[in-house]
Amino acid sequence: MVSVTCRTEYLTGRHHASAGAAWIVMMVALVALVGLNIAGVDGLLIAAVVAGLLALSLFAAAYGRLGERGAVLLTVDDDTVYFGDEDHTLVSYPLSALRSFAIGGPAYETSAMTGRQAQHLTVLGQKYLKLTFARPQPGSGAGSDEDRDPDLWQVAIVEGDPAATAVIDRLRAHAPQRVSTTKDAGRKSGQEQAADRPATVSVGQMHLDHDSSDREHTPVDLRRPRIADAGSDEAAQRLWEEATRRHDEVLTAYGTYELDPALLLKYPAVTDVTVEQTQTFHLALDEATALRTDAYPGNRGRADAYQQSVAALRRAWIACEKHGRRIGAGYLEPADQNALDTAIKLYNHAEASNTPAEQATYYGRVRDIVTTMTDRGVLHPPEAAVAELNAVTRRALEAGTSNA
């Protein structure tokens, strides 16, 4: 199994120190500007002093921004969980030792790991996983979970990161009956929260823990993250790439109905633009197509608008296909339904025949029925579907000619 890693970045002491120094120097520059003017100092000297201080302020800010950010890493492979501070130490536990996990946060502070006892790997403003692992007691050997004291960790994650969702899925797969997914805005430590409730929670008993200051009381949903809420540009880009993949899936599914004459004859409503659900689908398709770009646009707002348009497109396609397959040709007049039923039988005969001449005859009759109904305004097949029907008819004719 390929390992999955989610990475949550945070500002280090260098970033905070340089930002503070830049702010102080800028304030000194403003005070110097006012003070030197009051003292009647020459204008050129004032300009030189203030410019120098501002340059120093910009240099201090740049020094911090150019430094690498710290990061909390969380990796899951086929049998082990690894996590820790990227700049310090990584720890690991076997997946078999996982007792439970929950989703908490947002965190109120960034906690760096400075030693074995520092089991809080949180990042200010980000969610975190509360992981409970069993560990052997000294001298007890391997032991069972009941013979072990739990290790409790809080490991930061980015709520909008698909990698975090993949990590959660893997953890859930290894502890399906012991997973508690919670929204915890409380200020208790992991040990205190564990004392307030059982260490293991079954799926049927899953509940939400809320702090008295939590006003929304809504479950945390990492299954459908939005680009607008992504914790980093990298996460936003991955969500955009996921949206393009889902967009392509819809195009492929719809294309099947355009390129398979049998589906056109059996479920004409799926591609008939006069049907309300199909109209809605095409409107959603036009909007998603207009917002799609060849590469990640870099603009978080536009990328989020595209992601939401794809979500609307998928809903519209599901409704369109479900409705079209349910009614079949039932929205047409009885005579037209009979004509399509005849066309389906002819098409099936053509598919079953091994004689090109017979195939060409059957395909030709199907094409004539579709063409007649289209000319009468009864049927509204997409151009691609008509072109495919013409193509199979032409190929059968050419095959019959060559055999003759």
Side-chain angles (χ1 to χ4, degrees):
M1 181 187 297
V2 178
S3 62
V4 177
T5 300
C6 58
R7 188 171 185 270
T8 307
E9 294 185 346
Y10 62 87
L11 298 178
T12 64
R14 168 176 172 170
H15 295 88
H16 292 295
S18 63
W23 183 84
I24 292 174
V25 174
M26 183 176 292
M27 292 299 100
V28 171
L30 293 177
V31 172
L33 176 62
V34 175
L36 293 176
N37 270 298
I38 294 176
V41 178
D42 182 70
L44 291 177
L45 180 58
I46 295 175
V49 171
V50 173
L53 290 173
L54 291 177
L56 182 61
S57 174
L58 292 175
F59 174 79
Y63 173 77
R65 292 181 64 86
L66 292 176
E68 293 186 0
R69 294 190 175 195
V72 174
L73 301 182
L74 174 59
T75 300
V76 179
D77 58 20
D78 54 350
D79 58 6
T80 309
V81 182
Y82 307 87
F83 51 85
D85 192 301
E86 186 177 53
D87 296 329
H88 294 84
T89 306
L90 294 179
V91 298
S92 63
Y93 288 88
L95 277 172
S96 59
L98 177 64
R99 285 188 173 181
S100 65
F101 74 88
I103 301 170
Y108 291 97
E109 62 178 351
T110 298
S111 302
M113 187 171 73
T114 58
R116 181 63 180 172
Q117 300 302 319
Q119 296 182 325
H120 293 257
L121 300 170
T122 58
V123 174
L124 178 64
Q126 298 291 355
K127 301 287 185 181
Y128 53 84
L129 292 183
K130 297 180 287 185
L131 305 175
T132 304
F133 294 96
R135 61 183 176 88
Q137 293 181 346
S140 65
S144 63
D145 284 355
E146 288 75 12
D147 297 327
R148 302 176 182 182
D149 292 332
D151 274 348
L152 306 176
W153 290 85
Q154 295 181 354
V155 184
I157 57 172
V158 178
E159 184 175 2
D161 190 349
T165 301
V167 166
I168 291 172
D169 287 341
R170 292 197 178 183
L171 294 176
R172 180 177 290 112
H174 285 82
Q177 300 301 318
R178 297 176 291 176
V179 175
S180 172
T181 304
T182 65
K183 181 176 181 179
D184 179 15
R187 301 175 184 268
K188 296 181 179 180
S189 67
Q191 288 85 350
E192 292 171 333
Q193 293 167 12
D196 291 342
R197 61 179 182 272
T200 60
V201 182
S202 67
V203 173
Q205 296 173 326
M206 289 201 306
H207 61 281
L208 298 177
D209 295 335
H210 300 288
D211 182 82
S212 59
S213 63
D214 181 15
R215 299 181 180 179
E216 296 181 354
H217 297 280
T218 55
V220 176
D221 185 6
L222 294 182
R223 306 299 301 169
R224 297 180 180 178
R226 286 190 58 167
I227 291 177
D229 300 327
S232 66
D233 291 338
E234 291 78 9
Q237 182 168 351
R238 284 195 292 269
L239 288 172
W240 177 85
E241 292 169 352
E242 175 69 9
T244 63
R245 185 185 66 79
R246 292 177 179 273
H247 189 173
D248 290 339
E249 287 178 351
V250 173
L251 293 177
T252 300
Y254 180 70
T256 302
Y257 288 86
E258 288 192 321
L259 300 178
D260 188 344
L263 292 178
L264 167 66
L265 300 173
K266 192 173 182 180
Y267 307 112
V270 174
T271 54
D272 193 335
V273 293
T274 63
V275 177
E276 181 181 355
Q277 288 81 355
T278 307
Q279 287 180 353
T280 302
F281 164 69
H282 278 277
L283 290 174
L285 179 61
D286 291 342
E287 181 177 358
T289 302
L291 290 172
R292 181 165 181 169
T293 53
D294 293 334
Y296 179 65
N299 183 307
R300 187 79 69 91
R302 173 161 184 170
D304 182 77
Y306 170 67
Q307 181 195 40
Q308 298 311 303
S309 71
V310 171
L313 172 64
R314 294 181 72 236
R315 291 192 296 269
W317 167 243
I318 291 171
C320 171
E321 185 181 33
K322 181 179 179 181
H323 176 75
R325 295 183 72 91
R326 180 175 59 83
I327 67 171
Y331 69 106
L332 301 175
E333 296 293 331
D336 295 321
Q337 294 181 38
N338 292 334
L340 276 186
D341 185 59
T342 300
I344 292 173
K345 293 177 180 178
L346 292 170
Y347 187 84
N348 290 336
H349 286 318
E351 291 289 287
S353 176
N354 295 322
T355 305
E358 288 184 356
Q359 286 183 323
T361 300
Y362 289 136
Y363 284 140
R365 291 179 62 186
V366 172
R367 181 185 58 184
D368 292 341
I369 292 174
V370 172
T371 301
T372 300
M373 295 181 68
T374 303
D375 292 342
R376 289 173 47 225
V378 174
L379 200 63
H380 303 84
E383 293 181 2
V386 176
E388 181 63 21
L389 185 57
N390 289 332
V392 296
T393 306
R394 184 175 62 255
R395 286 194 294 269
L397 288 171
E398 291 174 350
T401 303
S402 63
N403 290 339

